[in-house]
Amino acid sequence: MRRRITLGSGDPKRLFVGGLHGNEWRRTSAILERLSAPRRGTLAIIPKLTDRPYISTLDDRYYDAYGRILIAAINEIMPAIYLELHSYHDFDSLTDPMRIERRGVPAYIELEDGILIGSISPILRRRCFSMHNLCISIETPEKESHGSQRVLKRLLDFTKDCESRDEFIDFILDRYPEQGRLAIENYKRFYGIE
């Protein structure tokens, strides 16, 4: 397994993962490595899962290759809160309102300064988590600005101290009401939740 950092102990357990494919670890690993221990519970961090060639996490083949390490870590830690940190260069394809038709998953929502939020791959979600877990994917721009770095740090710091899915939802709805409602609607529609 790739290097894992464990901060704190006990519940709730959180797992943050970066460097899920290709070179994105160059933009995501350092910020994950600088996180401090949560106020309560455990934060496990895998700053760089792999640097091997890109395979989409929406492709079953991902979980037969690099994703095996990830699934093993999830099964061992059993996190209530799971976060993937990705880096993007194609804003339009990730936020495309037709993404569900084109890629089979809802579009990411821009929170602020190019920071995007969405759900993790439904393959991983269905394989490893219940609907009660908080599972989020955050995308940071490949060409970060001071603003995007600030927003990302604030979001990661909140999530590492967050103790439940509902607490995270309340934070997003309070700070980003329009984007939060849209993200929740997309999630519920995709998973067929009333």
Side-chain angles (χ1 to χ4, degrees), residues 138-161:
I138 296 174
E139 292 269 0
T140 187
E142 204 171 69
K143 294 182 180 171
E144 293 179 318
S145 66
H146 178 68
S148 65
Q149 290 172 359
R150 177 186 44 80
V151 172
L152 179 58
K153 179 161 180 14
R154 182 177 61 232
L155 191 56
L156 291 174
D157 282 340
F158 177 82
T159 309
K160 77 165 177 77
D161 287 325

Side-chain angles (χ1 to χ4, degrees), residues 30-65:
I31 194 164
L32 291 174
E33 291 169 339
R34 288 191 301 266
L35 290 173
S36 59
R39 287 190 297 258
R40 185 171 162 263
T42 305
L43 172 60
I45 301 168
I46 302 173
K48 180 181 173 186
L49 187 68
T50 186
D51 57 4
R52 294 172 64 199
Y54 181 90
I55 298 176
S56 172
T57 57
L58 300 176
D59 186 329
D60 281 311
R61 291 177 304 153
Y62 182 87
Y63 301 96
D64 295 331

Side-chain angles (χ1 to χ4, degrees), residues 187-194:
Y187 176 84
K188 286 182 173 181
R189 197 167 39 244
F190 182 74
Y191 284 103
I193 299 169
E194 294 298 322

Side-chain angles (χ1 to χ4, degrees), residues 70-137:
L70 179 58
I71 290 170
I74 291 167
N75 289 335
E76 178 188 335
I77 297 165
M78 296 178 46
I81 296 170
Y82 173 76
L83 181 146
E84 290 181 358
L85 182 57
H86 296 270
S87 174
Y88 71 88
H89 63 273
D90 189 356
F91 178 90
D92 293 336
S93 72
L94 291 172
T95 59
D96 179 0
M98 299 299 292
R99 189 170 191 245
I100 197 152
E101 287 81 13
R102 293 186 175 124
R103 300 281 297 164
V105 292
Y108 276 84
I109 306 298
E110 182 180 18
L111 294 179
E112 184 179 358
D113 287 315
I115 299 299
L116 311 179
I117 191 168
S119 183
I120 65 168
S121 167
I123 298 165
L124 185 63
R125 173 94 201 180
R126 290 180 176 124
R127 194 179 288 187
C128 295
F129 296 101
S130 82
M131 297 313 266
H132 302 289
N133 296 116
L134 172 63
C135 299
I136 56 173
S137 176

